[in-house]
Amino acid sequence: MDSPVVPSGGVLTPLGVSSVRLNPGFWGSLPTETIIDHCYEWIGRVGWAANFTGAARRGREFSDSEVYKLMEGMAWVHDPRLDELTSVIAAAQQSDGYLNTKWGHARYSDLEWGHELYCYGHLIQAGVAQARASGGGELFELVKRAADHVCDVFMNNRGVCGHPEIEMALIELYRVTRAERYLEMARRFIDRRGTPALADIELGRAYFQDDVPVRKAEVFRGHAVRALYLAGAVVDLAVETGDRDLLDLVERQWERTVARRTHLTGGMGSRHNGESFGEDWELPPDRAYNETCAGVASFMLSHRLLLATGNRRYADQAERTFYNVIAAGPALDGRSFFYTNPLQVRVAGEVTSGVSPRADGGLRASWRAVSCCPTNLARTFAALPAYVATGTDAGLQIHHLTPARIEHDGFVVEVDTEMPWQGAATLRVLRAPDRLRVLSLRLPMWAGGGTAEWSRVWAAGEEVSVDLRMTPRWVEPDPRIDALRGCVAVERGPLVYCAESPGDQPPLTRITVDTSRAPEVVDEEIEVDAHLTSADDRPWPYGPRARTETEAVRLRLRPYYQWGNHGPATMRVWLPQG
């Protein structure tokens, strides 16, 4: 099956990329090919591909992984340039399977920061993608050599990587090959964490999830991407070994993290220091980190939990993260990218040319010194059809409404919808077997939750329809989130909205909103009643309440994922109530 995740068990079975065709619409019109082309151009321009040829090395210690993530995306869309890149990296692989352009002279001498095993993880996932999408090839063969090398070196020592990732990859390789050593290697990597297995660092062992064993952790903590990749691997291990206790553990960790450490957009990672989760209720809008890669990792984890349990709660969270973090990552033209995704930007970013040295900055950049996010988006968008629906012996389950043609076991359904702008959707049967089939559709929590289900012996041409409630709604934060007390936000359907400064907007630092009147839809945007406040400047900003004056205004909000596409701007999601 040509899907990034193909578990051997679980409640739901994923459908492959070739089983779901995305038609024009929000998901199907994402600039996937443009992003792949853009990444291909830039890894050549900055010399990261040339590192494999013996040229003077350029880029960070993990830059090999960006080439591999791009190759995974290429594999899913059958990009012919994959063979060219495969030939380049194959020439750099050593006779024992070792492959890394940074550390060949000092193998595994810095497991905390070296990222050698992390890079293998993305290499392996690229090879798995080729095996599933095309039946194998040179890339898949060199990937098995690299994986065998890892097993030879690490099976019987205590080493792990400072950046979890290879664990998911090894389990997926096991699922393709059924070679038990790959599953066992992943299990040992997971079980070693927190014993501890790595040296202590300034950021603390929690940074790379080495502070407590996996089975004793209560919540996701430390570096957000690392934590989420590790959790994804633990779900995979639980499914492959039938360890229900382990799966229950990840579910509890996920529940607490979503309930107390996740931003309204679905973004994860509250702290710039260590790109990490904060404590419970530590969710500042302006200092939120919310790395795009953490959004990708969260989306992948939620999908794995959905497959394992069938609980639509995970698809709800995947939807939120997709529309408001992942879709926000690239510019609308697919040629610049956010690394961080804060919920408030106080100072408009500066336009940069060339490679940006900063992760944040309030503006998308064409490329960064650390450009993990563009290549992560490339592989995610390329495999996106595989996340839309699942199949069982009983029938077809649609988890995300988007225009598509979906096929499973002789059952072919076409989805017609304008989501996320309109809530109406029609499911049309194009072909059906002559037996009872169940067609089901997840109803998102914002539309009341639940599942719409139709069971019958279908005939070609039959249709069923739903119309989800798309009324804009005020959203209030949990009062324990200190940084958001007294503020509200606006959502409509799966989209979070924000105020952005360009155009005729009033200054966002002087705005309060009036929640007594419902938000009003204006085209694809929303307008709300607000007040523009003014106050006298004082030599000291504390003391008795300052005298203020207000003026009634209308405030225009646009979908958060669209912000930053109109030049440098200030922005805020959470709006003070007046």
Side-chain angles (χ1 to χ4, degrees):
M1 180 186 299
D2 53 344
S3 173
V5 185
V6 185
S8 302
V11 174
L12 300 174
T13 301
L15 300 185
V17 170
S18 60
S19 297
V20 180
R21 184 187 70 203
L22 297 179
N23 294 330
F26 192 100
W27 290 43
S29 299
L30 291 166
T32 304
E33 292 184 3
T34 299
I35 294 173
I36 289 175
D37 290 344
H38 182 88
C39 292
Y40 179 82
E41 175 190 348
W42 272 95
I43 65 166
R45 184 184 302 185
V46 297
W48 297 353
N51 288 339
F52 293 91
T53 68
R57 195 181 188 284
R58 299 167 64 184
R60 291 288 299 273
E61 62 275 11
F62 42 75
S63 64
D64 290 2
S65 70
E66 313 314 341
V67 179
Y68 301 151
K69 281 185 283 185
L70 174 60
M71 293 172 74
E72 181 185 347
M74 288 177 162
W76 294 124
V77 299
H78 304 280
D79 191 314
R81 291 171 295 185
L82 177 63
D83 291 339
E84 168 199 328
L85 284 176
T86 299
S87 296
V88 170
I89 69 169
Q93 187 172 34
Q94 297 185 22
S95 59
D96 65 349
Y98 182 86
L99 178 57
N100 190 279
T101 67
K102 170 68 175 177
W103 296 103
H105 65 291
R107 296 182 180 188
Y108 311 118
S109 58
D110 188 357
L111 289 175
E112 287 74 23
W113 300 106
H115 287 78
E116 282 161 285
L117 293 170
Y118 167 83
C119 289
Y120 282 133
H122 285 300
L123 172 65
I124 292 167
Q125 287 176 316
V128 166
Q130 185 190 55
R132 288 178 174 160
S134 304
E138 183 182 8
L139 176 59
F140 185 55
E141 295 306 315
L142 77 84
V143 156
K144 288 188 289 184
R145 291 194 295 272
D148 288 339
H149 162 78
V150 169
C151 293
D152 290 343
V153 174
F154 287 94
M155 190 68 76
N156 295 308
N157 67 32
R158 300 295 302 162
V160 301
C161 186
H163 197 313
E165 213 287 332
I166 191 173
E167 298 86 353
M168 279 193 298
L170 285 168
I171 295 174
E172 223 58 57
L173 184 59
Y174 158 75
R175 289 167 169 169
V176 172
T177 64
R178 308 311 296 180
E180 291 284 344
R181 67 190 321 224
Y182 301 141
L183 179 63
E184 177 61 17
M185 187 72 262
R187 184 191 67 78
R188 294 190 186 191
F189 279 147
I190 290 169
D191 286 347
R192 288 171 190 169
R193 292 198 104 82
T195 52
L198 295 162
D200 204 358
I201 58 171
E202 182 181 358
L203 294 167
R205 286 197 176 94
Y207 171 79
F208 33 50
Q209 296 74 51
D210 194 41
D211 52 331
V212 296
V214 165
R215 292 179 183 270
K216 293 185 177 180
E218 298 178 351
V219 68
F220 301 154
R221 74 260 177 244
H223 187 278
V225 179
R226 286 168 162 85
L228 292 163
Y229 280 165
L230 178 61
V234 176
V235 173
D236 290 338
L237 180 64
V239 169
E240 295 306 315
T241 59
D243 190 337
R244 183 67 220 194
D245 289 342
L246 188 57
L247 181 59
D248 290 345
L249 172 73
V250 183
E251 290 195 86
R252 291 195 300 272
Q253 294 170 348
W254 185 93
E255 288 288 351
R256 177 172 163 184
T257 302
V258 168
R260 300 185 177 198
R261 300 186 175 193
T262 302
H263 290 269
L264 179 65
T265 55
M268 293 184 177
S270 296
R271 297 179 179 176
H272 286 236
N273 186 35
E275 303 181 314
S276 62
F277 288 99
E279 297 300 325
D280 290 353
W281 318 117
E282 184 185 340
L283 295 165
D286 51 346
R287 291 299 294 167
Y289 202 73
N290 290 349
E291 185 182 340
T292 298
C293 282
V296 169
S298 175
F299 182 72
M300 292 176 173
L301 172 59
S302 293
H303 181 67
R304 282 170 161 80
L305 287 166
L306 171 68
L307 297 178
T309 68
N311 188 339
R312 59 181 176 270
R313 171 97 164 88
Y314 299 118
D316 281 333
Q317 193 64 23
E319 175 187 82
R320 176 176 296 276
T321 305
F322 175 78
Y323 279 105
N324 301 295
V325 181
I326 295 175
L332 296 179
D333 67 1
R335 296 189 180 277
S336 58
F337 308 86
F338 280 136
Y339 188 106
T340 63
N341 294 275
L343 279 70
Q344 181 176 355
V345 173
R346 297 177 181 272
V347 179
E350 297 180 2
V351 177
T352 60
S353 59
V355 178
S356 172
R358 298 188 301 277
D360 54 3
L363 208 61
R364 294 177 180 87
S366 296
W367 204 251
R368 287 186 164 86
V370 177
S371 278
C372 49
C373 299
T375 54
N376 226 348
L377 290 169
R379 69 178 184 136
T380 302
F381 287 171
L384 204 55
Y387 292 90
V388 171
T390 57
T392 62
D393 292 340
L396 180 65
Q397 305 85 42
I398 299 173
H399 303 286
H400 300 287
L401 266 179
T402 187
R405 181 185 186 275
I406 306 169
E407 181 171 358
H408 169 62
D409 192 24
F411 196 26
V412 182
V413 175
E414 186 173 63
V415 181
D416 184 17
T417 181
E418 294 184 23
M419 280 285 296
W421 313 115
Q422 301 295 331
T426 298
L427 313 182
R428 184 177 302 108
V429 175
L430 302 183
R431 189 169 71 244
D434 187 21
R435 61 183 186 276
L436 185 69
R437 297 276 85 186
V438 180
L439 176 60
S440 67
L441 171 68
R442 176 184 62 90
L443 303 178
M445 286 299 296
W446 52 262
T451 301
E453 189 171 284
W454 304 271
S455 178
R456 67 187 72 164
V457 178
W458 297 85
E462 286 190 87
E463 296 180 351
V464 292
S465 298
V466 296
D467 197 350
L468 306 181
R469 183 176 66 250
M470 296 289 287
T471 307
R473 56 198 183 272
W474 294 109
V475 179
E476 295 190 2
D478 188 293
R480 289 170 287 187
I481 306 174
D482 296 327
L484 302 180
R485 199 166 292 138
C487 293
V488 292
V490 175
E491 294 180 315
R492 179 173 183 258
L495 298 176
V496 172
Y497 282 71
C498 69
E500 188 178 9
S501 62
D504 57 358
Q505 291 275 59
L508 300 185
T509 55
R510 295 169 53 196
I511 282 292
T512 60
V513 294
D514 180 359
T515 59
S516 65
R517 180 178 171 186
E520 179 183 353
V521 178
V522 181
D523 298 322
E524 293 182 359
E525 299 185 340
I526 287 175
E527 285 189 356
V528 298
D529 285 341
H531 291 94
L532 182 62
T533 64
S534 62
D536 295 334
D537 286 335
R538 301 187 292 178
W540 179 243
Y542 311 100
R545 183 184 296 272
R547 182 178 62 84
T548 61
E549 297 179 357
T550 64
E551 172 190 352
V553 295
R554 292 286 279 173
L555 182 66
R556 180 68 68 95
L557 310 178
R558 64 166 40 108
Y560 174 82
Y561 84 88
Q562 292 181 359
W563 97 269
N565 279 281
H566 308 85
T570 60
M571 177 275 298
R572 64 187 306 161
V573 168
W574 289 103
L575 307 166
Q577 296 186 72

